[in-house]
Amino acid sequence: MRKLTVFIALMFHISRVVASDVYPYESYGSPNLSPAPESKAASPELPESSATSRNGVFDVTEHGATANGATESSKAFAAAWNAACGHPGKSTFYIPKGRFLVGPIIFSGPCYNNQSPNIEIKGTLLAPISLSAFQSSNWIAFRNLNGFTLTGGTETAKLDGQGAAEAWKQESCQKSAECKKLITSIDFINVSYATIRDITLSNSKGFHLGLHGSDHINIYNLNIVAPGNSPNTDGIHVSHSSYINISSSTIGVGDDCVSIGPGSAHISVSDVHCGPGHGISVGSLGKYKYEKDVVGIHVRNCTIRDTQNGIRVKTWPGAPPSSASNMTFEDIHMINVANPIIIDQEYCPSHSCKTTLPSLVKLRDISIKNINGTYNTKSAVAFFCSTEVPCENVHLVNVNLKYLVPDNPRQGRLSIKGYLNGLQVINSRGALLSVDVLFCWEVKLYATGIGINLSVISK
C-alpha cells in the first residue's frame, strides 16, 4: 500500500510533456499574451527516482531516443524530461551528440521543489518538415519553469527548423508579408531566472526564439541564421517580459534580428551583430486592444549590416492607446543600411491598412546617440509620427551617417511627418544636412558644425 501511495504521488507531481495545446500567440507582429499563473504550492518530498542515471543526468537515448535524424523521438524526450523534472535533487536533461528528429513538444513545470533541470544539448535537433505535424504555433516550448540553464556546454547546440523545405513556400507567404502558418522554433513561456547560451538556431518556420510572460532571462552566445528572404523569421522576439538581457550574439534572418513587443520592460540588447534582416525593432505595437506599455529599452554597442532598417520603432495606423517610453539606442555602427534610424507610426507591411487613422501609441523619451556608418536610401533619419499623439522628447546626438553615393543631393536627409514635440539634434555631422518637417509642434534643433534648412508646414 505504501508503494502504491508513493507511485501515485510521483505520477501526480511530474508535469506531463505534451505535443499539443501549446500556449498560442500571434505569430506575425506582436503576440497578445498574458503570462500563465505561477504555481505557489510546494512539491511533496519524493523518494529517489528509479529512472536516475549518472548522478541526476537524464540522457534521452537511455529513454529510447534514436540519433539517426530520421526516427521521431518526442516520446523518449518526454520520458527523460519527466524523470529529470521529478528528480529530488539537481538534475540535467541531456541530449548527446547525434541528429534527433523531434516533433512538437512542451517541457513543462513546475518541477520538483520548483527547481528546474538544466538542459544540455550536444547534438542537433531537427524539426519535422511538414506543417501538418504542428497543431499549434510552437516546435519546442519551455513553460512554467524557474532557475535553469539551457546550453550547448563546451560546444554549440543546434536546432534546425527546416523551414525552407515547406513552410516558406506557403502560398500565403508569396502573396503577402504574412504567412498563414508560422511555427516558432523555441519558446519560453512563464519562465523565470534562466540562462540561454551557446546555441545555434537555423531556418525556423517562423520566429526562431520567443520570450513571453518571462523575467530575468540572460541570453548570450547565440548564432541565429536564415536566408535574408525567408519570411517572418525573426531572430528573437520578446513580449510581456521584463529584465531580459540579450548580448554577444550574431543574428542574420529574413525579418527583425530582435523585435520587442507589447508589455516589455527593462530589455537590454548589446554586442549583437545583425544582418541580413530588418534590423532591431521595438514593435510592432498597437495591433491589438489593451496592449501593455513598453518601457526601458536599451540597445547599445551593436553592428547592423545590409539590413532593411537599422534601429526602428513601429506602430500600426489606427492603433488603440498605449505607450512606449524611455528608449535608448547608442554606440551603433551601420553598414549599407537602407533606413538607419526610423520611427514608423504608419507601419503596414501588408499595405492594406487604413492609414488615414492615426496611431494612438504615445512614443516619448527616445535617445539616439553615437550612430555612425553608411546608408543607401534618401533618408538617414525618418520620423513618421502620429498626427494625433505627438512623438515627444526625441534626442539625436552625434549621428554621423554617410550616403553611399558621394556628392548626391539626397545625402543627409532628415524626414519628419506628423506631430513631434521636442526634437533635439546635437553635434551631428555629415548626416543631417537638411531637414524637412511636416505638421510638427515645438521643434527645437540644437546643432553644432552643420547647416540645417528647417521648413515647417502647418497642417
Side-chain angles (χ1 to χ4, degrees), residues 140-306:
I140 297 171
F142 293 88
R143 184 167 68 181
N144 300 338
L145 297 171
N146 176 71
F148 67 91
T149 296
L150 191 161
T151 179
T154 56
E155 302 178 18
T156 300
K158 297 179 181 179
L159 282 73
D160 186 351
Q162 303 201 91
E166 180 178 314
W168 303 343
K169 297 177 181 178
Q170 296 176 77
E171 186 178 355
S172 56
C173 298
Q174 311 303 319
K175 290 184 176 180
S176 71
E178 182 174 358
C179 297
K180 184 176 181 180
K181 190 167 186 178
L182 296 170
I183 309 298
T184 298
S185 281
I186 185 167
D187 240 336
F188 297 86
I189 304 162
N190 195 29
V191 167
S192 296
Y193 295 96
T195 296
I196 304 161
R197 62 179 175 87
D198 304 320
I199 297 173
T200 291
L201 298 167
S202 63
N203 301 319
S204 178
K205 292 175 170 60
F207 294 175
H208 283 80
L209 187 151
L211 296 166
H212 312 293
S214 297
D215 64 272
H216 296 90
I217 310 295
N218 190 24
I219 300 173
Y220 63 95
N221 287 349
L222 261 60
N223 182 37
I224 302 178
V225 59
N229 61 353
S230 56
N232 305 131
T233 52
D234 290 42
I236 299 174
H237 180 77
V238 182
S239 73
H240 298 90
S241 298
S242 59
Y243 298 101
I244 307 298
N245 180 34
I246 301 167
S247 64
S248 303
S249 296
T250 299
I251 305 174
V253 290
D255 212 299
D256 294 330
C257 293
V258 179
S259 55
I260 301 168
S264 299
H266 310 294
I267 311 298
S268 173
V269 180
S270 63
D271 299 300
V272 168
H273 290 258
C274 167
H278 293 178
I280 297 174
S281 296
V282 176
S284 58
L285 306 178
K287 188 173 185 180
Y288 304 102
K289 291 182 178 180
Y290 313 117
E291 287 185 355
K292 292 185 177 181
D293 295 341
V294 172
V295 62
I297 308 301
H298 195 180
V299 179
R300 69 185 187 279
N301 195 32
C302 295
T303 299
I304 302 177
R305 179 192 297 268
D306 299 328

Side-chain angles (χ1 to χ4, degrees), residues 25-151:
Y25 69 96
E26 180 74 18
S27 294
Y28 186 84
S30 303
N32 188 19
L33 290 176
S34 297
E38 268 191 26
S39 173
K40 301 296 183 182
S43 301
E45 293 296 324
L46 296 178
E48 184 77 12
S49 169
S50 61
T52 299
S53 61
R54 292 192 295 146
N55 298 320
V57 176
F58 296 86
D59 188 328
V60 295
T61 60
E62 294 177 4
H63 290 77
T66 303
N68 61 8
T71 304
E72 206 283 318
S73 296
S74 60
K75 288 184 179 180
F77 275 56
W81 175 261
N82 284 342
C85 186
H87 178 61
K90 292 184 178 179
S91 63
T92 298
F93 175 73
Y94 182 72
I95 302 170
K97 291 183 178 180
R99 293 167 61 83
F100 297 89
L101 177 64
V102 183
I105 189 169
I106 298 179
F107 299 108
S108 191
C111 293
Y112 182 85
N113 217 20
N114 201 31
Q115 183 60 49
S116 307
N118 289 324
I119 300 104
E120 187 168 345
I121 305 174
K122 296 291 188 181
T124 297
L125 305 186
L126 302 172
I129 289 175
S130 176
L131 287 170
S132 64
F134 298 86
Q135 302 303 311
S136 63
S137 57
N138 307 83
W139 172 26
I140 297 171
F142 293 88
R143 184 167 68 181
N144 300 338
L145 297 171
N146 176 71
F148 67 91
T149 296
L150 191 161
T151 179

